[in-house]
Amino acid sequence: MKTDNALNKDLILRERLALQRTILANQSTFLAFLRTSMYFLIAGLSLRNLLKIENSLIIEIVLFITSFMIFIFGTINYLKHKISISENKKHIGDYQLEYYK
């Protein structure tokens, strides 16, 4: 009987740790979207100063719009997965109370 209880506590702990890894992966993915968005923004801001291209204003606007769209998509993706993770969190028992008994 003790082995079943210990096994159950270990499974709950593993599920909890897997959930933490999933949360960290979601945050890391959001930061990657943010970083990519900032790269496009910086490219749009520095295009006119670095290169002498005709119609650089059009290219800058395209880069700004791309940056904004990547940021919006990354934010929506992060929030969608955050909600999904929090909904799945209720399926894991309160391991701290059970594990330390």
Side-chain angles (χ1 to χ4, degrees), residues 44-83:
L45 290 173
S46 62
L47 184 68
R48 186 177 293 171
N49 295 332
L50 292 177
L51 303 172
K52 306 295 184 204
I53 300 175
E54 290 183 31
N55 300 326
S56 65
L57 182 62
I58 295 172
I59 297 171
E60 288 177 16
I61 291 172
V62 168
L63 289 171
F64 291 150
I65 291 172
T66 304
S67 170
F68 182 71
M69 295 302 290
I70 290 171
F71 178 73
I72 294 299
F73 179 74
T75 305
I76 291 170
N77 184 35
Y78 172 74
L79 293 175
K80 182 179 78 170
H81 285 95
K82 184 177 179 182
I83 291 169

Side-chain angles (χ1 to χ4, degrees), residues 1-52:
M1 194 66 123
K2 277 189 169 182
T3 58
D4 290 340
N5 196 14
L7 182 63
N8 188 25
K9 289 179 186 178
D10 286 341
L11 286 175
I12 291 172
L13 180 61
R14 286 183 189 155
E15 289 176 0
R16 187 74 173 166
L17 293 174
L19 186 64
Q20 288 297 323
R21 283 191 301 273
T22 305
I23 290 170
L24 291 173
N26 189 32
Q27 292 172 352
S28 174
T29 303
F30 174 69
L31 291 175
F33 275 109
L34 182 63
R35 181 183 61 231
T36 305
S37 173
M38 288 174 50
Y39 286 156
F40 277 93
L41 182 68
I42 297 294
L45 290 173
S46 62
L47 184 68
R48 186 177 293 171
N49 295 332
L50 292 177
L51 303 172
K52 306 295 184 204

